[in-house]
Amino acid sequence: MNAIITASDLATALVGDAPPVLLDVRWQLTLATANGEPPFDGLAEYAAGHIPGAVYVDLDRELASAPGPRGRHPLPDLADFGRAMRRAGVSAARPVVVYDGGQGWAAARAWWLLRWTGHPDVRVLDGGLPAWQGPLETAVPAPVEGDFEPVPSPTGLLDADGAAALARSGVLLDARAGERYRGEVEPIDPVGGHIPGAVSAPTNENVGPDGRFLPAGELAARFKELGAVEGTDVGVYCGSGVSAAHEALALAVAGIPAALYVGSWSEWSSDPNRPVAVGPDPQ
């Protein structure tokens, strides 16, 4: 099953006999509050206009638990996550399509969580809301309660020790911007740099100028150059497990399974006992 869907295919599916559940997960990383500006308000963006039938999902409250020692966006409590998904109408036997404002990170976080907890049919709208050519609505739908019960997979999730080990035994990709990987700048976390052995793989290089994913063959070639070849275990991390989900989605488009270190750099860098590498060299 393809992990992404085009806007035209979504429009067709929404008027078909078995339309997907549609989730709007508009969110963006912002430093606005540090600059005295109001933070991004995904719910307000949703209220101003969304794809007809879409239900808003709050990334910070429903796709993550409170920030703390496990990072800025640790895994949500699975019972809470299940309730949020059922409220949105998610059922095990019904397809789900997720979109955001175009960056793709937030939608990928929802995609990854649903897939990791057992939903068999989840796709992300390629290019997000800007790719949608149909009408928008402001009415808030009242979906029928879903029946989805999250059951986490025993694989696909890394903790800090697992990420450290994978950086030595396989390929651990760092999805952040190159300057953060190299430790030249760190606007959020207490320490700059990367997990020793991790390879720089900025997630913005997985998409074209329109925000849509590169063709699967081009993505596969890119990841192969980074060491993600057949028979090699692959993992990915970022700042707090959001853009890394987008990298995991790009890997899925390329046909490469990957595990996600959800705590990511926000967890790793908060522990002074964890080693830190700087510069362009993985080590």
Side-chain angles (χ1 to χ4, degrees), residues 70-164:
R70 294 183 298 130
R72 283 193 307 281
H73 290 104
L75 286 175
D77 177 86
L78 289 184
D80 292 342
F81 173 65
R83 281 191 291 271
M85 292 300 97
R86 292 190 294 275
R87 170 194 65 81
V90 174
S91 292
R94 188 175 173 190
V96 177
V97 173
V98 192
Y99 73 89
D100 58 24
Q103 189 179 42
W105 295 4
R109 171 74 174 219
W111 166 83
W112 182 85
L113 273 169
L114 282 165
R115 294 290 293 146
W116 178 66
T117 55
H119 199 288
D121 190 350
V122 190
R123 287 176 287 177
V124 170
L125 174 59
D126 195 15
L129 189 59
W132 177 253
Q133 299 298 311
L136 300 178
E137 70 175 14
T138 57
V140 177
V144 175
E145 180 91 359
D147 63 13
F148 178 67
E149 293 286 349
V151 179
S153 169
T155 62
L157 178 68
L158 294 171
D159 60 12
D161 290 339

Side-chain angles (χ1 to χ4, degrees), residues 19-37:
V21 173
L22 194 55
L23 306 180
D24 182 314
V25 195
R26 270 178 275 183
W27 171 93
Q28 66 185 42
L29 177 65
T30 177
L31 303 178
T33 51
N35 300 325
E37 303 169 12

Side-chain angles (χ1 to χ4, degrees), residues 63 73-76 105-116 153-164 166 171-175 195 203 233-251 256-265 267:
L63 304 183
H73 290 104
L75 286 175
W105 295 4
R109 171 74 174 219
W111 166 83
W112 182 85
L113 273 169
L114 282 165
R115 294 290 293 146
W116 178 66
S153 169
T155 62
L157 178 68
L158 294 171
D159 60 12
D161 290 339
L166 185 59
V171 176
L172 181 65
L173 301 177
D174 185 317
I195 296 173
T203 195
D233 291 332
V234 179
V236 61
Y237 76 98
C238 60
S240 66
V242 179
S243 67
H246 189 267
E247 187 102 292
L249 177 58
L251 285 156
I256 302 169
L260 178 65
Y261 173 26
V262 174
S264 284
W265 191 247
E267 178 186 42

